[in-house]
Amino acid sequence: MAYAWLPGARRIRAGTDGGPLGGGVPRAVWLTLCTAPGTVSIQSAAERLIGERRPCHLIWDPVTGEVAQLISVLRAGRALGAADRLERAPGGIRSRLSSVNGQGRICVQIGVLSTAVEPFTSGPLLGVEAIMSWLDGWGVARRWPCGPPGGPRAPSNQDDPPGRRALWARGGHFGASQVPGCEHAGPGSIDIDRLTGSRGRPLHTRELAASLPGPAVPVPA
């Protein structure tokens, strides 16, 4: 059975979310909150994101294994397109990117207490199995269509690389720096095999043409 709330996670409910989801293949997006594990509690991080109306679904401290959930998986988050750090972000989420948050039957945004400069997969990953099992239950494929995220990406006004939106349409796991239209720096050069295992492979161009998603399956409210 798939649960709207991650079993065992602390519930810190956000008063606002990104609205209903638009349907399509399920996705998970990994982003870093530009703070080292252990320097900020998940409670403090949640309060900051909620207060600025840019909550993600999960906040995870990979060193302690603590996880907080702010939004039901059946609702869209608001982190994609907003500032990817805990420092105050005047203006909140950018309206031109808001549609990205709601694309997919689910689009789970996982905010990791870490930095893009020091990939969080180089240290302990306590609790990752529970998160991955939960995502498996929602049908998030253990693949990375764009391949492993690279190093920290600097903000740019350039268009997305060719094919990025087609790869995004495939669903699976993505780093925030790989999301179309977003300028997130993180999560950096993470080791995707430590998250999704050997099945976390990139999708090649030949596979893409033969495996684009079919019609969206409705998600119960």
Side-chain angles (χ1 to χ4, degrees):
M1 178 183 292
Y3 295 92
W5 295 83
L6 174 63
R10 186 187 307 180
R11 295 190 188 184
I12 307 175
R13 293 177 181 266
T16 186
D17 57 40
L21 290 155
V25 292
R27 301 175 178 84
V29 179
W30 300 80
L31 54 143
T32 49
L33 298 177
C34 296
T35 182
T39 60
V40 177
S41 69
I42 59 172
Q43 179 74 38
S44 296
E47 291 174 355
R48 172 61 61 87
L49 297 180
I50 291 172
E52 296 183 1
R53 298 171 61 85
R54 52 186 178 107
C56 48
H57 291 87
L58 300 182
I59 297 177
W60 175 42
D61 186 332
V63 173
T64 66
E66 290 184 287
V67 183
Q69 185 168 352
L70 284 56
I71 305 170
S72 165
V73 75
L74 299 177
R75 302 286 291 181
R78 291 180 61 90
L80 299 180
D84 56 352
R85 57 180 62 242
L86 288 178
E87 283 78 3
R88 188 164 299 281
I93 192 168
R94 304 173 192 173
S95 59
R96 70 183 180 89
L97 297 179
S98 61
S99 63
V100 179
N101 289 278
Q103 292 176 1
R105 293 197 296 276
I106 65 167
C107 184
V108 184
Q109 301 166 12
I110 305 165
V112 184
L113 295 183
S114 183
T115 68
V117 177
E118 299 179 5
F120 64 87
T121 53
S122 62
L125 297 177
L126 299 181
V128 69
E129 295 88 354
I131 294 173
M132 287 305 309
S133 294
W134 184 60
L135 296 174
D136 288 343
W138 281 103
V140 180
R142 291 201 184 198
R143 60 170 170 251
W144 296 76
C146 295
R153 188 176 78 174
S156 171
N157 293 323
Q158 296 180 349
D159 294 334
D160 293 315
R164 174 166 288 180
R165 290 188 180 275
L167 292 169
W168 171 252
R170 183 67 181 89
H173 291 259
F174 299 84
S177 60
Q178 299 172 321
V179 176
C182 289
E183 296 181 355
H184 291 272
S189 301
I190 58 173
D191 181 350
I192 60 175
D193 286 346
R194 292 203 63 199
L195 296 176
T196 54
S198 58
R199 287 184 287 169
R201 58 185 178 84
L203 189 71
H204 297 290
T205 305
R206 290 180 181 176
E207 295 177 275
L208 178 62
S211 58
L212 286 173
V217 177
V219 178

